[in-house]
């Protein structure tokens, strides 16, 4: 008996140690996680920051000073370019290592290595979309350029220098939760990060829907309901701008263009809200007499933030702005002489080609009247707790054939079965040099030179300089296409459907110092129809751009507050356009008490999506329901998914053709009118709000209904923000939805000494236990901006410095 007791005393602690030190499902290894010396307790940071620190790093070539201001923003002072990017890599990893690791693992299709089999379809999708293939091609372009190679290698070495300094105790908290360790950083990870941004900004793909619409309704209805240029538009390049170049010949449209086959794959429509605003105002319209530039890119909001603030100072460069954690340089920012910012162009640079295979082996496909060999790529997917899987992806000259069988993974719904992907993100590129030259730019000529290096994702680059120049350029590497090439699924067997070269970079649409005194973009159409090349047939709705241009047109003696207030503007051009047509159609006599009160709110509404507005909540749901009532009966067909016509076309129909056949519900015996749909949708909106939020009143407030918040990047509960009681909506300048919105707000006043102002919804640190994790969210939510400390030397005392790292070689 004594032996049994002794055995139990030995075995039980061993079993407990195994259980508590092993990760089961989503539960972290408990003993490791709770260990007071190495567990999560070690991630709780004090409000007191180490004032001075000397660090010896063998990779440094000379002395480096990193000064942290009172928001923990690093100001890096180096003696050469190598040390500048080495220090940037080091300090970014210090604050954001897990984020960088997670994002690049996700991009590469390597999440299963960490979380097990449940992520296998995520990983397959990323690999089948050719993310690593594109990153390898991009990296080849970067490494062929000596300057870009120096940037990326120094940045990589800096990250690894930080990784080597870590032990289990000071690993970022997410590593402890998920029970894995960081691996060495490699240059391919930098390229992967840039490719992931291309994937995010590619948004949804509509050619699957459009092909079905063409098949069901024919060319005439398709052209009518899905026109190539919107009813209302205020393009980025002002109407009437002359094109001072001789365009290349446009490829001939194939005769078979409207005879393409269909697909029955349900897909995701392009998402409104994944956009941005930027503008620059000339000195003639400002109080200072110098230009002011503003930018607020709209992306999915996360903690940690997608951006990382930093200042980079070395011989020939002194730039401040935001970087992407995992890539060297500053993406959006300013220096002594110029400022720049970006918004998404939404160019048509992602096409699917229907492929005809010889047989089920998929080794050969039909192209140009002969069989061609595919090239198989064998993807080895390591899976935590399971055997490694081999996934075979077949490549054509167009690109990878993404799926032969559709999995249940949500993003895979975007992809037609048996089709090859042609995507600009697969091209060799060297975007790093764009930002290298912008960071050092002195004038308009430097801005134009920098843009020539840029491939993808296509961006509207706004520019302003102390020389009083302003400009904007929808910029990227645009394929030379025939009109509407890519509006529908393309024929992969006919060379006429291939991309036919590229629009010359110097013929990308651009405007400098227009007579109106400002330039702007909000993801709307790049140009009016006079531009000779095809960029896309549809862009984001025009309302945000229209509101910005209306405000800027009448602005005089503008200041930073003028720009800040415009960034937070929540006036709805959509409501302005629609309400005069639908309000008179509401039959007030048939409304119940709640509906009548809601109708009274609508009658008094100032059309601002303010946080406390009840009318904004009613209007938002009313419009969604009305759109559904108009289109769902015709555009919902089993096994033939289609999209609805645009909001622009819907409002045009309501305003100009109120007796259109589309208002009748073909699924009922009676003939519905526009008035019938307006009343049904209004009542539905009110009843839905009452059911969810109770009696009409403060609980119907727009901020409460919208529910904006900033979640953790990996959606870990408790690591995100609270619900933010703020206004704004997708169609307003302050484009905010539940978890998407202005990821960085910046306003730069040019002059003899530039003044920067900015904020993002988060903090510098990626550690949830840090006081700098989410300390900027409330300022961001209030629509305020911080003054950015633009230091001129390590001894600059114009701002509050709370810590100083001195890095040396020995």
């Amino acid at each position: 008996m004594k032996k049994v007791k002794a055995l139990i005393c030995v075995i039980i602690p061993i079993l407990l140690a195994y259980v508590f030190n092993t990760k089961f499902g989503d539960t972290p290894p408990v003993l490791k996680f709770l260990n007071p010396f190495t567990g999560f307790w070690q991630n709780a940071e004090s409000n007191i920051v180490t004032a001075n620190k000397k660090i010896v790093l063998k990779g440094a070539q000379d002395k480096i000073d990193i000064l942290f201001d009172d928001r923990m923003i690093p100001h890096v002072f180096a003696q050469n370019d190598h040390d500048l990017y080495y220090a940037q890599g080091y300090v970014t990893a210090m604050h954001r290592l897990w984020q960088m690791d997670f994002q690049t693992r996700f991009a590469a299709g390597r999440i299963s290595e960490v979380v097990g089999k449940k992520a296998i379809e995520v990983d397959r999708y990323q690999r089948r979309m050719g993310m690593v293939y594109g990153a390898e091609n991009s990296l080849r372009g970067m490494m062929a350029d000596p300057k870009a190679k120096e940037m990326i290698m120094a940045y990589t070495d800096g990250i690894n220098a930080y990784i080597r300094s870590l032990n289990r105790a000071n690993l970022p908290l997410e590593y402890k939760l998920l029970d894995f360790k960081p691996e060495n950083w490699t240059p391919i990870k930098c390229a992967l990060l840039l490719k992931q941004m291309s994937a995010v900004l590619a948004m949804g793909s509509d050619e699957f829907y459009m092909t079905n619409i063409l098949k069901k309704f024919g060319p005439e209805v398709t052209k009518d309901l899905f026109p190539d240029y919107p009813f209302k538009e205020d393009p980025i390049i002002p109407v009437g701008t002359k094109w001072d170049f001789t365009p290349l010949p446009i490829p001939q449209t194939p005769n078979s263009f409207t005879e393409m086959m269909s697909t029955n794959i349900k897909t995701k429509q392009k998402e409104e809200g994944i956009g941005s605003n930027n503008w620059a105002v000339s000195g003639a319209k400002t109080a200072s007499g110098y230009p002011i530039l503003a930018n607020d890119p709209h992306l999915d909001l996360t903690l940690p933030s997608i951006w990382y603030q930093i200042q980079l100072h070395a011989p020939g460069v002194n730039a401040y702005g935001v970087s992407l954690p995992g890539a060297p340089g500053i993406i959006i920012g300013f220096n002594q002489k110029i400022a720049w910012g970006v918004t998404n162009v939404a160019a048509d640079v992602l096409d699917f080609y229907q492929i005809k295979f010889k047989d089920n082996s998929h080794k050969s496909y039909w192209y140009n009247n002969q069989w061609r060999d595919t090239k198989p790529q064998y993807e080895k997917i390591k899976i935590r707790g399971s055997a490694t899987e081999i996934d075979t992806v077949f490549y054509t000259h167009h690109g990878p054939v993404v799926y032969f069988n559709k999995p249940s993974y949500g993003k895979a719904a975007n992809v037609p079965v048996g089709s090859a992907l042609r995507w600009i993100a697969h091209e060799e590129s060297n975007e790093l040099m764009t930002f290298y030259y912008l960071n050092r730019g002195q004038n308009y000529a430097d801005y134009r030179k920098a843009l020539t290096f840029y491939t993808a994702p296509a961006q509207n680059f706004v520019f302003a300089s102390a020389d009083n120049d302003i400009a904007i350029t929808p910029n990227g590497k645009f394929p030379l296409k025939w009109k509407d090439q890519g509006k529908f699924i393309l024929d992969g067997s006919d060379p006429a459907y291939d991309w036919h070269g590229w629009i010359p970079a110097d013929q990308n649409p651009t405007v400098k110092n227009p007579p109106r005194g400002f330039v702007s973009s909000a993801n709307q159409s790049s140009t009016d129809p006079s531009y000779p090349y095809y960029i896309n047939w549809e862009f984001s709705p025009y309302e945000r751009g229209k509101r910005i241009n209306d405000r800027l047109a009448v602005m005089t003696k503008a200041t930073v507050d003028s720009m800040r207030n415009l960034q937070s503007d929540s006036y709805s051009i959509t409501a302005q356009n629609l309400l005069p047509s639908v309000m008179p159609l509401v039959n007030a006599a048939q409304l119940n008490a709640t509906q009548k009160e809601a109708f009274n709110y609508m009658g008094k509404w100032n059309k601002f999506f303010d946080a406390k507005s009840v009318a904004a909540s009613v209007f938002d749901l009313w419009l969604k329901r009305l759109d559904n009532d108009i289109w769902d009966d015709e555009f919902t067909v089993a096994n033939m998914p289609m999209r609805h016509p645009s909001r622009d076309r819907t409002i045009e129909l309501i305003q100009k053709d109120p007796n259109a056949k589309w208002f009748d519900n073909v699924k009922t015996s009676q003939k519905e009118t526009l008035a019938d749909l307006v009343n049904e949708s209004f009542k539905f909106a009110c009843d839905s709000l009452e059911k969810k939020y109770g009696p009409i009143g403060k609980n119907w407030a727009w901020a409460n209904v919208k529910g904006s918040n900033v979640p953790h990047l990996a959606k870990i509960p408790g690591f995100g923000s609270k619900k933010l009681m703020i206004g704004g909506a997708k169609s307003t300048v302050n484009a905010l939805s539940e978890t998407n919105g202005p990821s960085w707000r910046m306003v730069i006043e040019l002059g003899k000494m530039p003044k920067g102002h900015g904020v993002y919804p988060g903090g510098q640190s990626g550690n949830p236990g840090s006081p700098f994790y989410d300390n900027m969210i409330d300022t961001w939510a209030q629509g305020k901006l911080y003054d950015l400390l633009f230091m001129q030397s390590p001894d600059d005392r114009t701002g509050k410095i709370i810590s100083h790292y001195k890095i040396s070689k020995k």
Side-chain angles (χ1 to χ4, degrees), residues 299-338:
L299 295 163
D300 286 339
L301 306 178
T302 63
L303 288 172
S305 167
I306 193 171
W307 302 108
Y308 181 72
Q309 281 189 68
I310 195 166
Q311 181 180 357
L312 299 176
H313 187 291
V317 60
N318 185 16
Y320 187 117
V322 288
S323 63
L324 286 169
I330 289 171
I331 306 297
I332 300 170
F334 67 101
N335 62 30
Q336 201 86 14
K337 296 285 288 183
I338 71 169

Side-chain angles (χ1 to χ4, degrees), residues 700-727:
W700 286 33
W702 173 237
N704 191 48
V705 171
K706 176 162 59 77
S708 291
N709 67 96
V710 186
H712 183 262
L713 178 63
K715 305 295 190 288
I716 296 176
F719 286 4
S721 80
K722 61 188 177 185
K723 182 190 285 190
L724 302 170
M725 303 307 288
I726 51 180

